Amino acid sequence: MIKVALIGAGKMGISHLSILGAHPGVQVVGVCDTSKMVLDVMEKYAKLPTFTDHEKMLDKVKPDAVFVSVPTKFHYNMVKDLLNRKIHVFAEKPLCLDPDQSADLVRLAKENGCYNQVGYHNKFVGTFREVKKIVQGGFLGDIYHFTGEAYGPVVVKKKQDTWRSDPAEGGGCLMDYASHVIDLINDILAPVESSKGSILKPVYSNNVEDAVYSLLQLSNKVTGVLSVNWSDDTYRKMSTSITVIGTRGKIISDANELKVFFKDPKLPAGYSKGWNVKYITELTEEVDFYLRGEEYSAQIDYFINTCEGKVPNTINTFHSAWQTDNAISIIKKSSK
Amino acid sequence: MERILFGDNQFFAVNHISDEKSRAQSIRFKDDESIIRTLDIAMEKGVNTFMCTTHDRIANICDIIRANPQKYADYKIFPCMPYAHKYANAVTELGIAGTLKQYVPGNFIGSLFKGGVAYLAKDYLSIMELLIDAEMKMFKGIKTPVIFLQNVVTDLLLGLGMTDILVAFHKYVEKKYDAEAGFITMNMPMLLEKLEQAGIHNPIICSSINLAGFRMSGGKEAYEQVLKTKKVRAIAMQVLGGGAINPKDAIEYVCKLPNIESILFGASSSANITQTVNYINEFDKQLAGS
């Protein structure tokens, strides 16, 4: 049984808490948040021990692992504290506002022997895993271009400001929405090395960008386009997609459907020359408890399995999240 | 409940396997008239129950139903609440407190957030009741004999161990709307166990049940076992596994399972509606005769 505590019971935190609550290998030992109402509900209905001070919680309940889902600006100090106490950490994305801080956490996790994971859940989506397999298997030939996209209806009119509209707290479309796409590009193709130009465009927000457009070059010299907009209400919910084109084929995939075109007969198993379409229904593994998508449960199962020593700590590590923070910083700089 | 229930995913661009199909659907069902035309086709095939989300556009559909009382004399709606994306998008932008302030009618939340005061459990249940009432407004004057809680909320509460709130939902819709509560879930065996433990017997549970085992958390075998051995009024949804299974085999599978009271499906074209209804009737007839 892994003893798990949660810091930050907002939208993601409560979602994690529900999945953890249903996990047979997990005992939830504490929840920490600043909202008295949320804690009150957790105590009354989920019968969980609650805290407003995370250090007091750690002293008292001594968790093996902690989920950190507070605004990004608080990640560095909190996670540092956890790692120094040799507690395994699952942090929400993005890892830190400043990539140097992320690098520091990578080092600390290693020094203290702590397992570490960041909530870039797309890596647990069956279609994107398949894209990675096809791309890295060399089946598309020499890759020369990619497009990474995400669109959705988060900020669709002018409204009151929250931490999401404050760049100093990790708000804005780049940190929140685009980070997912950047992380996928880093993982499937290669880490972002430079930007040839970026536009951070406010649409309805006063202080942050609602859209991100950027020309990117990766460490393997492949180039491509990033196009992300969270003020697009022609989408019902967030839709993330990636297109990769090479000399021998092209792949277009979102979280539900993967379409791939192969020019020549050297193919991965289960595919044929020309267009192939695969759906998430055949690319996803069932989970024991489903909340918002298999990937949310799968990433937690993976983290718990890591803590139990059943699987290696290789997917969504702090190291890969640091590379994503690095790319975010590159895009920010190139937009000025 | 009737054997066949008509769903609404196709009207609101909910497609579990293709964003492209989603867009085609939102173009096709841009006008309320096109939704009504499709409901009428289903009605001609004998499907008189529409199970739908409390999406803003359903309010217009309700207006049309109320304006034609003779035509829709036997028509029923099973509302499914809440329309989760409305709240999820709001939480992303406004946080939990901000979202409640926006959606709970009256001054209740304002006073709740003034702080310093200890709240009673019933205060939170009052919030739930106010939210239910807000979502039910659009159905006034329409028969809603079963009211559902959407899976994202059911399953969130299930994982958090907040079964008491599920029970409170069950009691409230019975008391206020003289309706039965239904629960949509992606974790049917676990939910049934918890509801039974909380004293709710033979509940109405709608869950994915399909030949492919898609979204049957804990495994297809666990679901089949529950259907064979426990008391539950099951509704099978996603019977086509998001379109991944051949319709004939898909429907034969659910028709042959025990304890499936109703089958929920949605389709856009007259041909697909007819095909699905015919398959269900055909297999039911075969089984009745065997």
Side-chain angles (χ1 to χ4, degrees), chain B:
Chain B
M1 292 189 291
E2 292 180 18
R3 176 64 168 164
I4 307 176
L5 313 174
F6 198 65
D8 72 340
N9 274 352
Q10 69 284 356
F11 300 143
F12 303 117
V14 182
N15 188 294
H16 298 290
I17 57 170
S18 166
D19 282 2
E20 237 168 70
K21 280 187 193 151
S22 286
R23 182 170 302 144
Q25 284 168 341
S26 61
I27 294 168
R28 177 171 187 161
F29 292 108
K30 184 165 106 73
D31 303 313
D32 299 330
E33 197 42 49
S34 57
I35 294 180
I36 284 288
R37 266 202 306 275
T38 309
L39 292 179
D40 288 350
I41 292 169
M43 207 161 80
E44 280 163 27
K45 302 290 166 204
V47 183
N48 286 304
T49 306
F50 180 35
M51 185 159 156
C52 62
T53 322
T54 50
H55 189 286
D56 290 344
R57 282 187 64 199
I58 291 293
N60 307 342
I61 302 304
C62 291
D63 288 341
I64 298 173
I65 290 174
R66 271 188 295 264
N68 296 278
Q70 266 183 327
K71 183 175 168 193
Y72 296 105
D74 297 323
Y75 209 69
K76 294 180 208 75
I77 288 186
F78 288 179
C80 307
M81 62 180 63
Y83 177 62
H85 286 292
K86 179 173 79 180
Y87 294 101
N89 289 329
V91 171
T92 301
E93 200 201 346
L94 304 169
I96 292 169
T99 301
L100 286 175
K101 274 181 202 156
Q102 176 152 335
Y103 287 108
V104 177
N107 296 322
F108 196 82
I109 295 298
S111 55
L112 204 57
F113 279 98
K114 277 181 188 137
V117 193
Y119 303 106
L120 303 171
K122 72 174 171 52
D123 293 332
Y124 300 112
L125 297 182
S126 304
I127 295 178
M128 181 194 74
E129 292 173 1
L130 287 167
L131 286 169
I132 294 172
D133 292 345
E135 301 265 325
M136 282 303 291
K137 250 188 202 150
M138 66 172 87
F139 300 105
K140 204 169 181 331
I142 293 172
K143 291 186 196 108
T144 56
V146 187
I147 299 171
F148 285 88
L149 198 58
Q150 287 283 15
N151 56 290
V152 68
V153 177
T154 306
D155 292 333
L156 183 76
L157 296 171
L158 178 66
L160 291 170
M162 298 184 175
T163 319
D164 290 354
I165 300 181
L166 299 176
V167 173
F169 174 78
H170 188 271
K171 285 187 182 153
Y172 186 67
V173 298
E174 188 170 35
K175 188 181 85 182
K176 173 91 187 247
Y177 296 97
D178 194 21
E180 281 189 77
F183 298 95
I184 307 177
T185 180
M186 296 293 177
N187 308 285
M188 190 267 271
M190 188 190 284
L191 176 68
L192 180 61
E193 194 190 319
K194 296 288 175 197
L195 290 178
E196 281 180 344
Q197 281 168 9
I200 298 181
H201 298 291
N202 203 16
I204 297 174
I205 300 184
C206 176
S207 64
S208 290
I209 297 177
N210 54 65
L211 187 59
F214 180 58
R215 299 258 153 97
M216 296 170 77
S217 312
K220 201 170 135 192
E221 292 71 27
Y223 275 63
E224 290 175 357
Q225 189 61 24
V226 166
L227 292 170
K228 277 177 198 151
T229 59
K230 296 213 174 176
K231 277 198 87 172
V232 56
R233 300 173 66 189
I235 300 173
M237 64 171 179
Q238 293 188 325
V239 291
L240 303 177
I245 320 164
N246 160 313
K248 195 174 172 196
D249 297 343
I251 288 162
E252 182 173 13
Y253 172 75
V254 286
C255 285
K256 285 187 173 167
L257 283 172
N259 256 327
I260 306 266
E261 188 164 321
S262 304
I263 296 168
L264 168 67
F265 85 99
S268 304
S269 72
S270 173
N272 284 345
I273 294 170
T274 308
Q275 188 197 45
T276 307
V277 172
N278 287 350
Y279 278 141
I280 296 171
N281 291 337
E282 223 171 88
F283 285 116
D284 280 352
K285 217 164 154 190
Q286 270 182 31
L287 284 161
S290 68

Side-chain angles (χ1 to χ4, degrees), chain A residues 11 18 21 40 44-46 159 162 164 235-236 239 254 256-257 259 279 281 286-287 289-291 294, chain B residues 12 17-20 23 85 92-93 119 121 124-125 155-156 159-161 186-187 213-215 217-218 241:
Chain A
K11 182 177 156 191
S18 175
D40 204 27
K44 284 199 168 82
Y45 291 99
K159 274 192 200 153
T162 67
R164 285 177 191 279
Y235 289 81
R236 189 176 64 91
S239 170
D254 56 37
N256 302 316
E257 184 182 32
K259 289 169 280 190
Y279 295 109
T281 42
E286 290 308 318
V287 290
F289 178 77
Y290 178 103
L291 183 56
E294 283 83 3
Chain B
F12 303 117
I17 57 170
S18 166
D19 282 2
E20 237 168 70
R23 182 170 302 144
H85 286 292
T92 301
E93 200 201 346
Y119 303 106
Y124 300 112
L125 297 182
D155 292 333
L156 183 76
L160 291 170
M186 296 293 177
N187 308 285
F214 180 58
R215 299 258 153 97
S217 312

